[in-house]
Amino acid sequence: MKRQVLAALVAVGMFSLNCRADEPAKPEAAPSGGPKIQLDKTVYDFGSTSLVSKLEGVFIISNVGDAPLEKIKAQPSCGCTSAPMKTDKLAPGEKTELAFTVNVGAMNRGHLEKHITITSSDPKQPSVNLTLKADIVSVYEFNPQSIMVGDLRLGSSTNTEIQVKRTDGKPLGVTKVEGAGTFVRTKLEATEGSNTTAIIRVEIVAEGVARRFNDSVRVFGENATQPLLVIPVGGRFVGDIALSQESLFWGVADSENWPGPRGEIATTRKIIISSNLPDQKLELTNLNSSIPELKVALKPVNEGKSFELVAILEKLPKESATGTIKFDTNLKSQPQLEIKVSINILKRG
Amino acid sequence: MWRTLQRALVVTIAGAVLGLAANAVSPRRIPYIAPPVVNVPSDFIPFDEAQALWRSGEAIFLDARAPADYAAGHIGNAFNVPAENFDAHYSPVAGMLTPASRIVTYCDGLECDLSHHLTDRLRQLGYTNVHILKNGWTVWRNAGLATSTGGQP
């Protein structure tokens, strides 16, 4: 029986050795001399949190060695984290605080994990990796999560609604709703019989000049400066004529081998020009390009309704250039249209 | 013979019981049932493919970092649309794009999530062909490809 117990112990020992074989090596005991960095913790776990725009905390850095710890630097893993060191030197037995801030930004749900690398003159542990983590839990659900209206004719408007719900059982707590731009009009309506839900009615009015817009509906709680939710709103206000693109860009990487193996893809850009007027035929004339090397042509796509403008850069200008493609139309509201062109040629070296 | 088998069985059971107990208390324990493997479609574009798109000018490259980082150095011919200030920088670039335009976003660092935020925002706007070049600035610079400094091209 003794032999059986002994054999079992040997088996367990072998199993344990196998289990631990891939674990990272632990730092060795404190050296007899020299600086030694020590942190109060290497993981700062905020757990589950919600309704935060930033996370803040402090690590304590100590020198437990018997020589000055120098060249202490803190390098965050991303621009969203700041961790300024108060000092870059610690005498033996001295401590310092490393206060950090993680900008959570618009993130309102998901797992967040950032790192800070501390480097120093500790010969045994020249760098220490610190982990900051949190699970951001949103207490609000909103549907839809963005409003994209596509093309909207000037002078018209569109209405939509956003449903908002608070999921932690507490009252909704929404105090104010506003559109960032004057053309986004909003109204908050309580839901009858519920203090955890509401409807935001959104009206987008196409006013001003034809342009793309990228705005937002902002939902505020008790804090009137930091929105609880930001719902993107985007689209384009168009006149009687809509262009699939309003400007053209050629980014030339290798001018000596232009246009390279993907010939037509590199040289050619196409824009669809279409009329929004149902009862009037569209006519385009006097097409020209201010850049001599850029050849332009119009091809009808849907007779009297839409055209394809084809711009071909068969030969490169000697240097980077900007210019325009212009054409006249028969519509009084937009008698001439202009498309900006930019050709950027990278220089070698 | 029977006795030898008995011993082997005892050794095996004792090893298994103690092994399971050690695993249960270990901070690096191995799960008994492996979680299902979920295939998540990748947002990332391989570096070679990104390079080919850049050479042909087929895709527009968008740098998601802050303007100061962009000005200090960026992929040649890339435009700056900082994810943290999207609204202020999107419009000038939007005129060059159609919903089907090929777009490559990037930032810097393996953990940088600015390119993800920018990609999400572009997809919300209806762009369907947006890819992320992971750790873009570092891999591009390390490959010795063309870079620029200063403002927009």
Side-chain angles (χ1 to χ4, degrees), chain A residues 113-127:
Chain A
E113 187 165 321
K114 305 293 173 192
H115 298 274
I116 301 170
T117 304
I118 308 289
T119 54
S120 71
S121 61
D122 181 337
K124 292 278 179 187
Q125 212 178 356
S127 83

Side-chain angles (χ1 to χ4, degrees), chain A residues 3-4 7-8 11-12 15 19 22-24 77-78 80 103 113-115 145-146 148 212 214-216 232-234 244-249 251-254 262 265-266 269 342 344 346, chain B residues 6-7 10-11 14-15 18-20 22 26 28 52-58 60 76-77 79 84 86-87 90-92 94-98 102 111-113 121 124-125 127 146 148 153:
Chain A
R3 270 200 275 170
Q4 285 168 354
V12 171
F15 182 89
C19 274
D22 59 347
E23 283 192 7
S77 61
C78 74
C80 58
N103 182 11
E113 187 165 321
K114 305 293 173 192
H115 298 274
Q145 298 190 356
S146 64
M148 298 299 145
R212 285 179 189 266
N214 190 56
D215 215 277
S216 57
V233 178
S244 62
Q245 276 176 265
E246 295 112 46
S247 57
L248 293 176
F249 175 71
V252 181
D254 184 1
R262 298 168 93 153
I265 287 170
R269 303 280 186 274
S342 177
N344 197 55
L346 290 179
Chain B
Q6 222 179 356
R7 281 178 189 168
V10 169
V11 168
L18 285 166
L20 288 169
S26 167
R28 304 185 67 226
L53 288 174
W54 176 79
R55 285 194 192 285
S56 67
E58 189 180 345
I60 196 154
N77 284 329
F79 287 84
E84 288 179 342
F86 180 86
D87 293 354
Y90 163 68
S91 289
M96 302 172 196
L97 305 171
T98 66
R102 298 199 78 162
E111 292 179 34
C112 178
D113 46 18
R121 198 66 197 274
Q124 280 178 336
L125 287 169
Y127 298 103
S148 304

Side-chain angles (χ1 to χ4, degrees), chain A residues 290-313:
Chain A
S290 69
I291 299 173
E293 292 85 357
L294 185 64
K295 306 298 175 201
V296 288
L298 281 168
K299 292 180 185 174
V301 176
N302 184 358
E303 193 61 44
K305 287 284 164 209
S306 59
F307 293 84
E308 184 179 71
L309 188 157
V310 182
I312 304 174
L313 189 65

Side-chain angles (χ1 to χ4, degrees), chain A residues 115-240:
Chain A
H115 298 274
I116 301 170
T117 304
I118 308 289
T119 54
S120 71
S121 61
D122 181 337
K124 292 278 179 187
Q125 212 178 356
S127 83
V128 183
N129 189 33
L130 307 179
T131 301
L132 326 170
K133 58 183 180 180
D135 286 308
I136 311 288
V137 182
S138 174
V139 296
Y140 288 97
E141 282 178 2
F142 53 107
N143 185 34
Q145 298 190 356
S146 64
I147 300 172
M148 298 299 145
V149 297
D151 285 355
L152 198 60
R153 284 285 301 282
L154 281 170
S156 68
S157 66
T158 185
N159 292 287
T160 187
E161 62 180 45
I162 301 164
Q163 292 174 333
V164 186
K165 183 181 179 186
R166 183 156 181 162
T167 57
D168 60 357
K170 292 181 182 168
L172 190 64
V174 172
T175 57
K176 187 174 72 168
V177 176
E178 65 180 25
T182 55
F183 57 91
V184 181
R185 293 161 196 177
T186 56
K187 191 179 172 190
L188 181 67
E189 282 183 11
T191 310
E192 206 172 313
S194 169
N195 66 351
T196 58
T197 60
I199 288 173
I200 301 166
R201 299 204 184 279
V202 181
E203 183 187 22
I204 299 163
V205 182
E207 57 189 19
V209 295
R211 66 190 188 282
R212 285 179 189 266
F213 66 92
N214 190 56
D215 215 277
S216 57
V217 170
R218 297 184 296 185
V219 182
F220 293 87
E222 296 297 326
N223 181 345
T225 53
Q226 180 69 35
L228 293 170
L229 303 168
V230 177
I231 300 156
V233 178
R236 191 167 65 152
F237 296 152
V238 294
D240 292 338

